[in-house]
Amino acid sequence: MDMGTRCWAGGWHSGWLTAGFSPRNLLDMDTFSKSDPGGWQSQAGGMFGRTEVIDNTLNPDFVRKFVLDYYFEEKQNLRFDVPPGSHNALFGGQDFLGQAFVALGEVIGSQRGRLERPLTGVPGKRCGTILLLAEELSNCRDIVTMQLCANKLDKKDFFGKSDPFLVFYRSNEDGTFTICHKTEVVKNTLNPVWQPFTIPVRALCNGDYDRTVKIDVYDWDRDGSHDFIGEFATSYRELSRAQSQFTVYEVLNPRKKCKKKKYVNSGTVTLLSFSVESEFTFVDYIRGGTQLNFTVAIDFTASNGLPSQPTSLHYVSPYQLSAYALALKAVGEIIQDYDSDKLFPAYGFGAKVPPDGKISHQFPLNNNAENPSCAGIEGVLESYLQSLRTVQLYGPTNFAPVINQVAGTAAQVTDGSQYHVLLIITDGVISDMLQTKEAIVTASSLPMSIIIVGVGPAEFEAMEELDGDEVRLSSRGRYAERDIVQFVPFRDYVDDSGNQVLSMARLAKDVLAEIPEQLLSYMKTRDIKPRQAGPE
């Protein structure tokens, strides 16, 4: 598969992949020759595509690849079916050679983007295996730097000249347009020169070099009612010609053009410079061997309520999981695809723990201080439920100990081969806010991100401050080197229809959306380049 990575408002669309697959040691269904396998790949919602048919082989290498959208923050389940050629089971044909189920993240997170899985589906038979491949589309990593100026723009202000700025729009498949960049405002001039700016090619044109790019020219007004001066259209391919020559565009105002017979234009815009360079992407680092290490910390303070009572946030009914368990599964089941050993350290905080009943803010859920790791998300859930039966919920709600615990581990390997993600699930107001802020500021220089999910009805103003989206977090005069915290309140994802699957998919999407950019920001600040994948 070929993947790229795009960053839109609201999260990472981790781009385009090409999906390739090669079955091995298939069942031989033909009497006088080898099978003639074809294949298709499907996603949730229907068939995605079909390969060609290759005659007389049990080890086909399909030429056709499929370009897929890849989202790090979503669980993208794929099914690969191998029918015997054009006479396949879906269309009332012959025998079925096998199928495989896999999450797209598992392929990306596997060594060199290569994952081998057994084929199943024929009772009592060994169906062989399927080799799945994933790589990034090259144009997903290109970054454009350009500079523009304008000449003789229309005057819009009564007492002075215009204050012009440009708005770039990417065209969509359905004919609509989406804003992808705004320049700065240049005050009081009809001949502005804007500063150079950079933009990913994928954001400018979705990787389609001939797709329309629309540019509007506005006169800035303080009250926000900016005056429209005019517009022009171009494409990435046309813009790229400016590498060897200036390109001049006429700025046209359709209303003026209709009203005035002698109307020529509302000025011109000149592309002064245009250059392209490639950047490393999230997928480059994952394919190069960077491991995401997932750690869980769960709030065991008394404000959650007695676990035996239905009103408790930790209450597990026979019919559904608690909010804590749902949040853990939603996030963990996606991120575990990128952790090769599937062993996750899991801690609790804010409880009195046996045998002496001392309050602890970083006790291992599996009761093994020497090795707090649990096998898979199911292992974490099992240890969490066991802890509910053995510890006494107490308090206060201290975050700093577990943040410092993970930060200490992250500090041991800072060469880019390891990146740590800490998930904290909590119900209440932080008791050690000053210490927590200091811990996060310190951790911001390490290969580490923190996800906080707030459950229950409490107000979470302190969590919003830790998130740092509006104001960069600081402690004792030190500012966080990077924004490494993402907070979401669980209640915002409770679906009125009761559809937990959709609700938790939305939760995971939002809390994981910033992880790729946070990982990249660490690598860039340390000038760490992805390791090259080894030979195939």
Side-chain angles (χ1 to χ4, degrees):
M1 311 176 193
D2 289 31
M3 318 167 199
T5 310
R6 297 174 233 164
C7 184
W8 307 133
W12 276 74
H13 171 216
S14 303
W16 299 297
L17 312 179
T18 56
F21 54 104
S22 301
R24 290 292 177 263
N25 301 314
L26 294 173
L27 278 173
D28 190 359
M29 307 299 284
D30 293 347
T31 304
F32 299 107
S33 65
K34 304 295 184 184
S35 293
D36 307 324
W40 69 82
Q41 168 200 4
S42 60
Q43 292 176 285
M47 186 187 295
F48 187 83
R50 299 178 65 190
T51 68
E52 73 278 16
V53 175
I54 299 180
D55 293 336
N56 197 30
T57 179
L58 303 182
N59 297 283
D61 287 311
F62 295 117
V63 173
R64 185 179 177 191
K65 305 292 191 292
F66 300 101
V67 178
L68 304 178
D69 285 332
Y70 160 59
Y71 297 84
F72 165 76
E73 66 271 22
E74 294 183 14
K75 189 78 171 179
Q76 294 176 268
N77 293 316
L78 302 175
R79 190 186 85 209
F80 294 85
D81 292 343
V82 185
S86 57
H87 305 292
N88 62 64
L90 278 186
F91 301 101
Q94 299 174 353
D95 308 280
F96 184 65
L97 298 182
Q99 63 183 188
F101 297 85
V102 66
L104 186 52
E106 292 181 85
V107 185
I108 300 163
S110 60
Q111 189 174 17
R112 302 197 309 275
R114 297 164 59 89
L115 180 67
E116 190 163 6
R117 278 290 170 84
L119 288 166
T120 61
V122 181
K125 299 283 187 179
R126 290 187 177 180
C127 300
T129 62
I130 186 168
L131 179 65
L132 309 171
L133 310 174
E135 62 181 329
E136 191 167 20
L137 287 175
S138 60
N139 66 1
C140 291
R141 66 187 70 236
D142 290 346
I143 298 289
V144 167
T145 300
M146 67 176 91
Q147 184 177 23
L148 301 100
C149 69
N151 189 43
K152 296 182 180 179
L153 295 176
D154 284 354
K155 181 175 178 294
K156 291 292 185 179
D157 293 342
F158 187 77
F159 293 109
K161 297 176 181 179
S162 296
D163 304 318
F165 67 96
L166 303 176
V167 181
F168 285 70
Y169 299 86
R170 179 186 68 253
S171 61
N172 302 316
E173 300 287 351
D174 60 1
T176 60
F177 288 88
T178 300
I179 293 176
C180 58
H181 182 74
K182 287 183 183 179
T183 68
E184 79 280 10
V185 176
V186 181
K187 293 292 189 72
N188 196 33
T189 180
L190 302 180
N191 303 290
V193 178
W194 290 282
Q195 292 294 316
F197 68 90
T198 60
I199 184 172
V201 170
R202 55 188 177 266
L204 187 65
C205 64
N206 240 20
D208 180 353
Y209 292 170
D210 296 306
R211 183 174 295 200
T212 299
V213 176
K214 187 166 78 77
I215 300 153
D216 287 351
V217 187
Y218 283 96
D219 170 36
W220 178 84
D221 283 330
R222 187 179 301 276
D223 63 2
S225 59
H226 311 308
D227 298 314
F228 178 71
I229 295 176
E231 65 185 8
F232 62 97
T234 182
S235 67
Y236 172 86
R237 194 178 301 280
E238 187 174 297
L239 288 167
S240 66
R241 294 182 186 134
Q243 292 179 90
S244 56
Q245 63 184 32
F246 287 159
T247 304
V248 180
Y249 297 95
E250 286 192 285
V251 178
L252 301 177
N253 187 319
R255 292 182 65 182
K256 277 192 172 184
K257 192 173 183 180
C258 290
K259 289 181 178 179
K260 297 182 179 181
K261 290 184 179 179
K262 295 184 179 181
Y263 176 80
V264 178
N265 59 47
S266 294
T268 61
V269 168
T270 301
L271 182 61
L272 297 175
S273 64
F274 184 97
S275 61
V276 184
E277 61 183 23
S278 293
E279 66 169 6
F280 295 117
T281 66
F282 174 73
V283 175
D284 286 328
Y285 288 97
I286 298 301
R287 280 175 54 83
T290 297
Q291 285 291 308
L292 295 189
N293 299 299
F294 184 47
T295 302
V296 178
I298 294 178
D299 185 337
F300 280 78
T301 56
S303 55
N304 285 282
L306 287 173
S308 59
Q309 300 298 314
T311 53
S312 172
L313 293 168
H314 283 300
Y315 179 71
V316 180
S317 79
Y319 309 107
Q320 70 177 48
L321 295 172
S322 69
Y324 279 88
L326 284 171
L328 172 60
K329 281 178 65 70
V331 177
E333 287 185 350
I334 291 174
I335 208 167
Q336 70 177 354
D337 291 340
Y338 302 87
D339 191 314
S340 60
D341 62 13
K342 304 291 188 292
L343 295 175
F344 308 122
Y347 300 94
F349 58 90
K352 288 184 174 181
V353 298
D356 52 13
K358 286 185 178 179
I359 299 171
S360 175
H361 295 290
Q362 55 184 103
F363 62 89
L365 295 186
N366 66 0
N367 201 31
N368 184 346
E370 298 299 320
N371 181 11
S373 295
C374 303
I377 297 306
E378 291 304 319
V380 177
L381 275 171
E382 183 180 332
S383 295
Y384 156 61
L385 296 175
Q386 179 61 31
S387 290
L388 285 176
R389 293 190 285 268
T390 58
V391 305
Q392 179 188 348
L393 273 60
Y394 205 72
T397 306
N398 290 352
F399 280 14
V402 74
I403 293 174
N404 288 329
Q405 169 80 23
V406 177
T409 304
Q412 294 174 17
V413 182
T414 58
D415 62 359
S417 63
Q418 307 288 323
Y419 193 87
H420 295 261
V421 179
L422 169 62
L423 170 64
I424 301 175
I425 313 177
T426 183
D427 84 311
V429 178
I430 302 175
S431 305
D432 63 340
M433 187 63 174
L434 292 177
Q435 293 88 340
T436 294
K437 288 168 69 173
E438 185 170 357
I440 292 172
V441 169
T442 300
S444 69
S445 64
L446 298 171
M448 176 176 169
S449 291
I450 301 170
I451 297 167
I452 304 174
V453 178
V455 299
E459 295 301 322
F460 294 109
E461 289 91 346
M463 308 297 182
E464 299 288 359
E465 182 182 351
L466 297 179
D467 195 303
D469 283 343
E470 301 297 328
V471 179
R472 191 149 55 112
L473 191 69
S474 65
S475 172
R476 299 183 182 182
R478 281 196 309 151
Y479 282 90
E481 184 178 307
R482 303 178 296 123
D483 174 17
I484 64 168
V485 178
Q486 173 75 340
F487 166 74
V488 299
F490 184 88
R491 57 175 172 259
D492 289 356
Y493 299 87
V494 177
D495 195 307
D496 292 336
S497 68
N499 189 327
Q500 286 187 352
V501 174
L502 287 177
S503 298
M504 293 307 97
R506 288 175 49 237
L507 171 73
K509 181 175 181 180
D510 283 359
V511 298
L512 292 172
E514 294 185 9
I515 298 297
E517 179 58 32
Q518 290 174 359
L519 181 147
L520 286 174
S521 71
Y522 174 79
M523 301 299 186
K524 288 176 183 176
T525 58
R526 298 295 182 275
D527 194 27
I528 297 172
K529 295 177 173 56
R531 299 177 182 180
Q532 296 298 312
E536 299 295 328

